[in-house]
Amino acid sequence: MAEIVSEVLIERLAAWGVDTVFGIPGDGINGIMEGLRRHADKVRFVLVHHEEAAAFMATAHAKATGRIGVCLATSGPGGVHLANGLYDAKLDHAPVLAITGLQESSVLGTAYQQEVALDRLFEDVTEYNQVVMNPAQLPAVVDIAIRTAYARRGVAHLTVPNDVQIAPAHADPYQTVAPVRPPATSPVHLSPTVRPAEDDLRRAADILNGGRKVAILAGIGARGAGQLVEEAAQKLGAPIVKSLLGKMVVPDDSPYVIGGLGLLGTKPSEELMEEADTLLMLGTNFPYTKFLPEPGKARVVQVELDPTRAGTRIPTDLPLVGDVGVTLEGLLPLLDRKDGDHLRDYQERFADWQHAMAALESPERDPIAPQYLAHQLDVQAADDAVLCCDSGTIATWAARHWQIRGQREFYLSGTLATMAPGLPYAIGIQHAFPGRQVIAYVGDGGFAMLMAEFHTAVRYRLPIKVVINNNNSLGQILWEQMVLGFPEHGVRFGEPLPDFAGWASGCGGFGIRVEKPGEVAGALAEALAFDGPALLDVAVNPDEPPLPGKVTYEQAKKFAASFLKGQPNKASIATTLFKDKIQQLRG
């Protein structure tokens, strides 16, 4: 059997260490599917139900492993469906390679069926983007695509016409110049170790040593350097605030951590940003500038690997271009040890905040409080569990009630904040780590978008656990409308209720629905213990507000205005708010 171009593609992916491709077949990639069939011993193909899910799975695989994630879609609409997941990878800086098909080269530009110029469509989302028009191109462009995705922490895209996919391997019909021949050895990408100059480190130390109230903001760029971040906090007497993406950088039970920042953060974290005179930003490009110190109020040192991102959010006195871990190793010996009064003050404030949050986790509240569900998940999950979270109110409950301890990890669509990645994230990560407990913690709105992928988990015998925080509404939008001063509109799904548990059982997995607080703990334990994919659908209070850590006067005024304008569910919302306050006072 003569070797075809698609085999060269798959062999080159395997040489780069790719072992999994997520996607859906189609007539635009039949040649590539044949390449995968012939080399199924090297690269497995995971058949999904929607191309968007394939892109999410590739993104999650890349985030969790650090290795490139690969997704595959047919020409035209199949490739279009990848876009949302690819933007998730782009904005969260995950290395992903998208491969798509294209009509035969002889009909391109003739408005042929399903002809979409996917290279042009993906121009904004990609760091490398190439149409393969000659079999001799392929090995070199695969190498460049993967190398670029790694180096620039983003998306690469290759689109291959049908006729090129099945052409003889290494054919060169034009023979105008000698093709680039990649080395026969397995390629590798070595991330450079970037360390700031000694003079810059000393200047940074002078700024930090001169601060009286120092704060540390740690993001996902500090992953792997958590111990060094804590050592810096100890020396500087500085509380650590974490971005949501950086939640797993330092354990939540660290004596230096006072929670997250922003709408999903804590009151002590917001107060710290208001009072700090010095801020050390570590591996974060935190976008919500209104939660950062006012310009000129605090001196800022930012450690950032990408020099183009340094100083983009807040005026920065000294940007240090470097890897967070290597930079801290050089910076720590230069830091003076401060007294701990500033830190102790915030430790006390954070203890009060935790007390208030714990009061909302009560099992006595009916309807079920989403905080209680999140707390039970935190209590019962393994210490090495991986939580994959959706966007919306679900992210608030995870940020505040899911604790990073042991070897736990936490993933979500951080910057794009798209709905629906939770389930495909869990599938992608479970493929990468078959022995770990992987949980998709999702809302009903996000789950419904890609719920067919639960069937994918069953087919591949992936023991993921899906926990649905079901408020039968688009909860985050509901509260955003109210904070703007508008009565809610178009955000509650109403009757009839979809039977998500029945869907899980129909797929061949475990499914159960819970409507009473007393049923939550037992049902969750049963789902977590099930030997296979399991789904727990929990009816939570739809009127529980995901309030910011600190409610401003302007937010409260607009919230009240929405009631005066005819908020349709104001009685149940007011009752929930009253119960929340009573519960906190009791606690």
Side-chain angles (χ1 to χ4, degrees), residues 290-301:
K290 69 179 181 180
F291 294 102
L292 295 174
E294 294 180 13
K297 192 172 181 180
R299 303 196 70 187
V300 179
V301 174

Side-chain angles (χ1 to χ4, degrees), residues 56-72:
F56 281 140
M57 291 175 195
T59 300
H61 188 280
K63 286 183 176 183
T65 65
R67 305 194 311 272
I68 193 156
V70 182
C71 53
L72 174 66

Side-chain angles (χ1 to χ4, degrees), residues 367-437:
I368 299 167
Q371 297 96 325
Y372 174 59
L373 172 61
H375 173 65
Q376 278 299 310
L377 187 56
D378 175 61
V379 168
Q380 295 195 33
D383 279 354
D384 68 343
V386 180
L387 190 74
C388 302
C389 184
D390 250 359
S391 301
T393 58
I394 193 82
T396 301
W397 314 134
R400 294 177 177 169
H401 302 276
W402 169 262
Q403 302 300 306
I404 297 297
R405 59 176 179 269
Q407 301 303 311
R408 282 186 175 181
E409 295 181 20
F410 176 76
Y411 297 96
L412 82 169
S413 175
T415 312
L416 185 62
T418 179
M419 292 176 67
L423 175 58
Y425 264 35
I427 292 172
I429 292 174
Q430 191 76 83
H431 268 291
F433 302 109
R436 292 184 70 172
Q437 185 182 70

Side-chain angles (χ1 to χ4, degrees), residues 12 15-17 66-68 95 142-154 185-194 305:
R12 203 64 195 157
W16 274 98
R67 305 194 311 272
I68 193 156
V142 171
D143 283 5
I144 296 168
I146 294 177
R147 196 175 293 118
T148 303
Y150 274 130
R152 298 182 183 169
R153 305 296 297 175
T185 56
S186 296
V188 293
H189 172 74
L190 300 176
S191 297
T193 300
V194 182
L305 191 59

Side-chain angles (χ1 to χ4, degrees), residues 487-535:
E488 65 175 73
H489 180 70
V491 291
R492 301 200 189 230
F493 292 114
E495 302 288 344
L497 297 176
D499 186 2
F500 294 135
W503 163 249
S505 299
C507 288
F510 173 88
I512 186 171
R513 178 172 170 84
V514 170
E515 298 182 350
K516 293 295 180 183
E519 302 169 347
V520 171
L524 179 58
E526 191 176 359
L528 292 176
F530 184 74
D531 185 20
L535 182 148

Side-chain angles (χ1 to χ4, degrees), residues 1 58 90 94 107 131 159 192 200 265 291-292 307 337 372 476 482:
M1 187 181 299
K90 169 190 170 77
V107 298
V131 182
T159 186
D200 289 335
F291 294 102
L292 295 174
R337 188 174 298 277
Y372 174 59
Q476 188 70 32
M482 292 183 67

